């Protein structure tokens, strides 16, 4: 999960939470929560606790924006649209090329390692085979873990929870930089080739997001790689769209599933969606498929190394006829039920393991490295010695030269058996991850694997699946889930072998899909991914049936694994469904327990702006038009000005000597809407006493159309609006306006709508929620 560094502990000490540090248990949250609605949020990102801010997805309709938008020529609009499609093309192209390179590297490294080890076993040099196998795995894991620990701690894990949070409106720092991309690529190669129970699918999603982020921002400011012609994309809104395309491209690259990739983004990671984004995501995945197909054709000609065949999980059963029979209904139902139950149990156990790992990782970088190496050692010992427990099985004469397999990929690994015999457990354990999937999914092999071997395989991968996720290497959950699910699917097929009419290999496919739905709670995207993998639409009815059962049972036990990880990390993700008790609470009641609203006038003194910026951490301030100075005048809301815009004004020292409103041309000489969309740096400007007494006209910089809600609106309704529109600030206005009344009584932010924050402030609601 990442280490709670000294910096994080100092932060907790400042908050008076040191007593909580001493009482960490397996059931305690990784991060302490404040009992207030106005706290700056902290979250566990990578190796340390970071301050988290929201993203500005809302269009700032100020005078500058309106002028620039009205004056855009058709050429500029065409350029902007063309660049967005060009970025989607580059995201697909680069993701496909990098995914192919990762696949080929893993297949060749792991393949040569396996081939050499098997040759040593055939020569009866068992200990030499063990030390070679363990040594190579140890070196590869050390390489991957060292990269993560030293250069990019945020590259550890799948990255999908952080992407999901980002697309929900949470700025996850240091997640999409060039260093993260490089470490993710080489780290995933090392970790997967080392035989650890993790996949490259999750990292590929993160890689696609990193590519998208770097392209949308014109490169990396840190390494001075910046293309000025991409200035129109330097905003959170366009970056969000491109990262969504990158996530879709990553899933497509992992499974060669273009439709599944788009649906994965729609169902799992994206909070905000529209038709234009659907088309661009589909375009990116289409480019990925073309690139992957090109590499597959290239590798089929033998130009990708000894083991280079694309390295993709391809399982084509288009020639298998799926016939339905009433006898298959019971075992298929059991597959779905077990998928939900096992998924719920997995989601209970994995967070406990992650909490233990967090305690270990707190010790420092060396502890994180040793933890990864310890898991690697256990994995190597288990994978090497377990096949010796399985007896040799005679080859079926009808298989001919296909049995036993001594070379590269194949279903019948000879391993330590004499000629004419094969080791079924070695077939599963002594293969690259993709080969292991193909072997256990294989059709027309009902008696290839013994029950005992499948039980051992299922048991060891359940253990490895729990202890491997969370170490300091790039890792994904998809492959471990597929391997565990396929094992119990085959076991159910063997238990009902006298009654079923569907091939046991297809039961393995159903088991993998059911367990994925039980753990991740995805249905539509998983269904399409597996249908595109198998290339057999006849599986659609039973696939849908199994997924619905599995997800329903899993939902009754606990949330999805990604939601659990989001909560453990402290990322303020807003769920789509508000709590029922939120309908009994109004936003006006929330405003009462919040700090008083800090206003700025439309023409404000420089000293007042500096004081507000230095004394608060707020990122938005209501701008009020005082009207006449008489007591009977009514204050009006002019809009909302962002902190970043105020910092840019001060940094450029755009001041007025007298209190007046500026002309449009005065503002456009110094500022543009594109410039204001960029992230602002911290307030670091020296001002003279004379400058502090000058004024700033906030008219051109104010968003004159902020979203507002009346104080009587329920928190549930406000939360739905906040999430669906992708807001950072939501102004609360009084039901009645009049002289002497404040036109804004509060501002809702993401933290104010989090259920646990509200319950901490209103404990009586917690009791009612518990009773309900």
């Amino acid at each position: 999960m990442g280490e709670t560094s000294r910096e994080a502990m100092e932060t907790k000490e400042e908050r008076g939470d040191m007593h909580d540090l001493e009482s960490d248990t397996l059931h305690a949250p990784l991060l302490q929560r404040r009992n207030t609605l106005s706290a700056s949020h902290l979250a566990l990102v990578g190796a340390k606790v970071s301050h988290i801010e929201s993203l500005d997805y809302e269009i700032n309709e100020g005078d500058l924006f309106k002028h620039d938008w009205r004056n855009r020529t058709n050429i500029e609009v065409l350029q902007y649209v063309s660049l967005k499609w060009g970025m989607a093309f580059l995201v697909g192209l680069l993701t496909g090329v990098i995914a192919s390179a990762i696949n080929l590297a893993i297949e060749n490294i792991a393949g040569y390692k396996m081939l050499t080890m098997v040759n040593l076993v055939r020569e009866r040099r068992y200990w030499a085979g063990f030390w070679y196998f363990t040594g190579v795995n140890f070196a590869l894991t050390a390489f991957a873990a060292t990269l993560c620990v030293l250069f990019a701690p945020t590259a550890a894990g799948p990255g999908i929870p952080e992407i999901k949070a980002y697309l929900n409106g949470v700025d996850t720092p240091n997640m999409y930089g060039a260093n993260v991309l490089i470490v993710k690529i080489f780290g995933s190669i090392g970790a997967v080739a080392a035989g650890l129970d993790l996949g490259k699918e999750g990292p590929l999603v993160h890689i696609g997001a990193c590519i998208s982020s770097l392209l949308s921002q014109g490169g990396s400011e840190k390494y001075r790689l910046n293309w000025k012609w991409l200035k129109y994309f330097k905003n959170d809104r366009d970056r969000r769209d491109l990262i969504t395309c990158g996530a879709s491209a990553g899933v497509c690259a992992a499974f060669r599933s273009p439709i599944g990739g788009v649906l994965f983004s729609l169902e799992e990671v994206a909070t905000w969606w529209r038709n234009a984004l659907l088309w661009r995501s589909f375009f990116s995945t289409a480019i990925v498929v073309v690139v992957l197909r090109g590499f597959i054709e290239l590798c089929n000609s033998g130009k990708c190394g000894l083991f280079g065949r694309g390295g993709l999980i391809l399982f084509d059963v288009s020639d298998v006829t799926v016939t339905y029979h009433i006898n298959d209904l019971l075992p298929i139902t059991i597959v779905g039920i077990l998928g939900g139950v096992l998924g719920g149990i997995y989601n209970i156990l994995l967070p406990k393991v992650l909490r233990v790992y967090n305690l270990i990782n707190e010790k420092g970088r060396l502890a994180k490295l040793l933890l990864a190496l310890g898991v690697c050692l256990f994995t190597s010992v288990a994978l090497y010695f377990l096949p010796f427990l399985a007896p040799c099985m005679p080859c079926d004469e009808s298989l001919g030269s296909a049995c036993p397999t001594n070379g590269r990929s194949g279903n019948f690994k000879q391993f330590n058996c004499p000629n004419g015999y094969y080791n079924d457990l070695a077939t599963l354990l002594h293969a690259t991850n993709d080969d292991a999937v193909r072997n256990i999914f294989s059709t027309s092999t009902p008696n290839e694997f013994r029950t005992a071997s499948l039980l051992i395989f299922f048991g060891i991968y359940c253990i490895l699946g729990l202890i491997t996720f969370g170490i300091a290497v790039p890792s994904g959950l998809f492959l471990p889930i597929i391997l565990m699910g396929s094992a119990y699917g085959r076991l159910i097929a063997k238990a009902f072998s006298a009654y079923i009419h569907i091939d046991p290999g297809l039961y393995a496919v159903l088991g993998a899909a059911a367990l994925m739905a039980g753990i991740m709670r995805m249905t539509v995207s998983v269904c399409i991914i597996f249908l595109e993998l198998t290339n057999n639409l006849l599986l659609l009815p039973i696939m849908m049936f199994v997924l619905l059962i599995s997800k329903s049972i899993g939902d009754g036990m606990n949330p999805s694994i990604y939601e659990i990880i989001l909560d453990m990390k402290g990322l303020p993700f807003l769920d789509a469904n508000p709590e029922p008790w939120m309908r009994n609470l109004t936003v006006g009641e929330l405003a009462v327990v919040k700090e008083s609203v800090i206003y700025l006038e439309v023409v404000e003194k420089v000293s007042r702006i500096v004081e507000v910026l230095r004394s608060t951490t707020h990122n938005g301030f209501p701008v009020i038009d005082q009207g006449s100075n008489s007591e009977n005048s009514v204050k009006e809301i002019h809009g909302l000005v962002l902190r970043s815009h105020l910092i840019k004004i001060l940094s450029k020292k755009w001041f007025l000597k007298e209190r007046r409103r500026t002309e449009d041309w005065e503002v456009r000489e110094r500022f543009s809407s594109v410039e204001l969309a960029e992230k602002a740096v911290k307030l670091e400007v020296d001002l003279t006493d004379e400058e502090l007494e000058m004024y700033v006209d906030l008219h051109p910089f104010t968003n004159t159309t902020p979203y507002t809600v009346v104080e009587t609106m329920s928190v549930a309704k406000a939360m739905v609006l906040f999430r669906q529109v992708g807001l950072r600030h939501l102004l609360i206005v009084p039901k009645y306006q009049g002289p002497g009344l404040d036109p804004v009584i509060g501002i809702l932010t993401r933290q104010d709508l989090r259920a646990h924050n509200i319950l901490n402030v209103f404990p009586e609601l917690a009791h009612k929620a518990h009773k309900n």
Side-chain angles (χ1 to χ4, degrees), residues 46-47 141-157 179-180 183-184 186-188 191 365 368-369 471-475:
T141 303
F143 170 71
T146 301
L147 285 178
C148 280
V149 171
L150 296 182
F151 301 105
T154 52
N179 59 326
V180 176
V183 170
K184 204 78 175 185
F186 291 98
S188 60
R365 292 178 174 178
K368 297 176 73 175
L369 181 61
I471 62 175
V473 296
S475 59

Side-chain angles (χ1 to χ4, degrees), residues 498-565:
Y499 307 99
I500 63 174
H501 292 74
I502 299 176
D503 193 284
L506 298 184
Y507 270 92
V509 176
L510 294 176
L515 190 59
M516 193 173 291
I519 294 175
M520 298 181 177
R521 309 296 155 76
M522 298 184 295
T523 52
V524 179
S525 55
V526 169
C527 182
I528 298 303
I529 286 173
F530 276 91
L531 288 179
E532 289 183 297
L533 279 177
T534 58
N535 197 22
N536 194 329
L537 283 175
L538 293 176
L539 281 173
L540 180 61
I542 54 174
M543 183 73 71
M544 295 172 65
F545 181 66
V546 164
L547 290 174
L548 288 172
I549 293 176
S550 178
K551 184 183 186 303
S552 299
I553 293 176
D555 284 340
M557 296 180 65
N558 44 42
S560 73
I561 189 61
Y562 290 139
E563 292 178 14
I564 293 174
I565 294 175

Side-chain angles (χ1 to χ4, degrees), residues 420-622:
Y421 289 80
Y422 73 96
N423 188 316
D424 63 335
L425 192 52
T427 300
L428 298 174
L429 296 180
H430 287 174
T432 62
N433 287 337
D434 292 340
D435 277 342
V437 172
R438 281 192 287 266
N439 292 344
I440 200 167
F441 277 7
S442 60
T443 56
S444 303
T445 56
N447 300 315
E448 177 184 358
F449 304 106
R450 298 178 305 110
T451 302
S453 296
L454 289 173
L455 285 171
I456 293 174
F457 178 79
F458 176 71
I460 190 59
Y461 268 96
C462 284
I463 296 172
L464 294 178
L466 286 171
I467 68 172
T468 306
F469 187 81
I471 62 175
V473 296
S475 59
L477 277 173
F478 285 94
L479 191 79
I481 293 172
I482 289 174
L483 292 175
M484 287 186 287
S486 58
Y488 90 77
R490 273 221 177 234
L491 283 169
I492 291 176
K494 290 187 74 69
F496 291 88
S497 58
Y499 307 99
I500 63 174
H501 292 74
I502 299 176
D503 193 284
L506 298 184
Y507 270 92
V509 176
L510 294 176
L515 190 59
M516 193 173 291
I519 294 175
M520 298 181 177
R521 309 296 155 76
M522 298 184 295
T523 52
V524 179
S525 55
V526 169
C527 182
I528 298 303
I529 286 173
F530 276 91
L531 288 179
E532 289 183 297
L533 279 177
T534 58
N535 197 22
N536 194 329
L537 283 175
L538 293 176
L539 281 173
L540 180 61
I542 54 174
M543 183 73 71
M544 295 172 65
F545 181 66
V546 164
L547 290 174
L548 288 172
I549 293 176
S550 178
K551 184 183 186 303
S552 299
I553 293 176
D555 284 340
M557 296 180 65
N558 44 42
S560 73
I561 189 61
Y562 290 139
E563 292 178 14
I564 293 174
I565 294 175
L566 282 169
D567 186 65
M568 292 182 68
K569 284 178 170 285
L571 292 168
F573 182 85
L574 285 184
D575 191 68
N577 302 312
E579 299 291 340
W581 50 263
M582 288 183 176
R583 303 196 179 280
N584 301 322
L585 187 70
T586 65
V587 294
E589 292 174 287
L590 289 185
V592 172
V593 297
K594 284 176 61 66
E595 299 174 358
S596 300
V597 179
I598 297 177
Y599 302 99
L600 293 174
E601 295 187 24
V602 288
V603 180
E604 188 60 85
K605 210 169 188 180
V606 174
S607 59
R608 166 67 174 165
I609 295 175
V610 172
E611 177 191 357
V612 166
L613 292 179
R614 287 178 175 170
S615 62
T616 69
T617 58
H618 305 327
N619 288 285
F621 304 93

Side-chain angles (χ1 to χ4, degrees), residues 654 656 660-670:
W654 191 74
L656 305 171
R660 68 175 178 86
R661 180 164 184 171
T662 56
E663 300 294 335
D664 290 344
W665 62 269
E666 293 181 85
V667 183
R668 294 197 297 273
E669 279 186 343
R670 301 289 297 276

